[in-house]
Amino acid sequence: MNAPLVSVVMPCLNEEETLGLCISKAMRCFQALEIEGQVVVSDNGSNDRSVVIAEQLGAKVTHQPIKGYGAALMAGIEAADSEIIVIGDSDDSYDWSDIGPFILRIQEGYDLVMGNRFKGGIEPGAMPPLHRYLGNPVLSLIARVICRAPVGDFHCGMRAFTKTAYRQMGLMTLGMEFASEMVINAARNGLRITEIPIRLSPDKRSHPPHLHSFHDGWRHLRLMMTYAPDHLFILPGVFMLILGLALQVILVDGPTRIFGFPLGIHFLALGSLLTLAGYNVLNLGILGKVIVDIKHPKLKSRV
């Protein structure tokens, strides 16, 4: 039996209400596109009927005992038998019957194809106002500044990539920040990235979403800052160090005036403080670059 052209990977944690619908939509899409496809359900410890439903519908099920969105996806991706992989949530908020454009962009030569919910449309109630107007736009802006990726929606859960590209990304995070790490690492490895508009609908589950706004938002931001030692440490450290040294040089012979403004002992103390702080912040930046180089040696020349 030949390997399928496309593998759809769905992370799952107690999704019995919607999982079957998502699997059925994906399989009908394979039929409509006349391609050989595979659905992989990566179960993250469900205690409902999710696994039974997936097996009954012909999906390949893999089990990931390590908790976390990223952990579940990594297990599912490793279990996939295809070179082209499409990932997305199993809560029916994304339309699994419309993954054709993702596959087409991969076949055109792109390594990572992102969905953009803001361009495709967000239905009422599909995304909390805090996420829609503050969380996602701000975090996506920070990520674009850091890695200069042509992506407007860094946290869209539906995306496609090749398994070869996935290996190059060297992803390691286990939580929701996996979504940001994928785009950042893809950009810094020079992979071809594009995005397409997709529509986001309210999920069909009766239980609350697995995403925790502030906790997971902080994890995304922390990851981004870890990958940006220049922005977070190096530049501020150099600025403080130079300013501190300049103040000390100016005041080496005692109090003075610059453009009529008096500089006395207090500014000498400020200069000393800035010098010490700048030196230590600069050292943190150098340490951050070393850590990134150790964890992701392929990114060394790009950080």
Side-chain angles (χ1 to χ4, degrees), residues 70 74 112 143 147 154-155 159 169-189 219-220 223-224 227 295-296 299:
M74 285 190 279
L112 173 62
C147 69
F154 264 71
H155 306 110
R159 53 188 72 183
M169 296 174 199
L171 307 181
M172 301 174 65
T173 53
L174 303 179
M176 292 291 183
E177 66 273 25
F178 179 89
S180 295
E181 184 187 25
M182 175 178 286
V183 185
I184 293 173
N185 283 11
R188 289 186 165 176
N189 274 287
R219 293 182 67 154
H220 279 286
L223 172 82
M224 294 173 190
Y227 276 72
K295 287 187 174 182
H296 299 284
L299 305 183

Side-chain angles (χ1 to χ4, degrees), residues 1-290:
M1 181 178 178
N2 294 329
L5 175 67
V6 179
S7 289
V8 159
V9 177
M10 302 179 186
C12 174
L13 176 59
N14 295 326
E15 311 289 2
E16 64 179 3
E17 295 174 298
T18 54
L19 181 61
L21 183 59
C22 294
I23 294 173
S24 298
K25 284 184 175 181
M27 290 186 170
R28 285 198 298 270
C29 184
F30 295 150
Q31 294 176 352
L33 296 174
E34 298 181 343
I35 60 174
E36 187 70 27
Q38 172 193 53
V39 176
V40 179
V41 173
S42 183
D43 186 67
N44 207 201
S46 299
N47 53 23
D48 62 1
R49 297 186 64 255
S50 296
V51 172
V52 174
I53 292 171
E55 292 174 341
Q56 288 177 342
L57 292 175
K60 180 178 182 179
V61 177
T62 186
H63 298 274
Q64 173 56 284
I66 301 173
K67 294 295 185 181
Y69 173 78
L73 279 174
M74 285 190 279
I77 294 167
E78 291 297 335
D81 298 314
S82 308
E83 173 63 12
I84 299 176
I85 296 172
V86 183
I87 64 173
D89 299 335
S90 51
D91 59 6
D92 199 37
S93 57
Y94 299 110
D95 187 1
W96 282 106
S97 63
D98 192 26
I99 60 175
F102 286 91
I103 300 170
L104 179 61
R105 293 295 185 277
I106 292 293
Q107 292 176 326
E108 289 174 350
Y110 289 98
D111 301 298
L112 173 62
V113 183
M114 298 288 300
N116 190 314
R117 299 165 293 183
F118 297 96
K119 290 183 178 180
I122 301 173
E123 296 181 8
M127 184 183 293
L130 179 65
H131 298 180
R132 183 172 184 175
Y133 300 109
L134 181 63
N136 274 296
V138 170
L139 289 175
S140 292
L141 174 62
I142 293 172
R144 281 197 301 276
V145 170
I146 290 172
C147 69
R148 303 179 188 88
V151 176
D153 185 5
F154 264 71
H155 306 110
C156 180
M158 180 165 278
R159 53 188 72 183
F161 47 87
T162 65
K163 208 160 191 178
T164 300
Y166 171 75
R167 302 283 189 214
Q168 290 180 260
M169 296 174 199
L171 307 181
M172 301 174 65
T173 53
L174 303 179
M176 292 291 183
E177 66 273 25
F178 179 89
S180 295
E181 184 187 25
M182 175 178 286
V183 185
I184 293 173
N185 283 11
R188 289 186 165 176
N189 274 287
L191 302 182
R192 292 191 64 196
I193 305 172
T194 189
E195 62 179 4
I196 58 177
I198 65 168
R199 194 161 188 82
L200 181 70
S201 305
D203 71 64
K204 311 303 189 297
R205 302 169 298 188
S206 60
H207 63 77
H210 302 302
L211 177 69
H212 299 91
S213 300
F214 292 101
H215 178 263
D216 290 316
W218 163 243
R219 293 182 67 154
H220 279 286
L221 181 60
R222 183 179 62 187
L223 172 82
M224 294 173 190
M225 293 297 97
T226 301
Y227 276 72
D230 289 344
H231 299 79
L232 184 62
F233 297 117
I234 300 293
L235 297 179
V238 169
F239 174 76
M240 288 190 290
L241 183 60
I242 292 175
L243 181 58
L245 290 173
L247 284 172
Q248 292 181 77
V249 169
I250 290 170
L251 295 168
V252 68
D253 293 324
T256 185
R257 288 178 175 269
I258 295 183
F259 302 112
F261 186 83
L263 298 178
I265 188 67
H266 298 92
F267 283 91
L268 181 61
L270 176 62
S272 300
L273 178 63
L274 287 172
T275 301
L276 290 172
Y279 175 78
N280 283 285
V281 171
L282 182 60
N283 279 336
L284 286 174
I286 295 171
L287 178 61
K289 294 173 80 72
V290 170

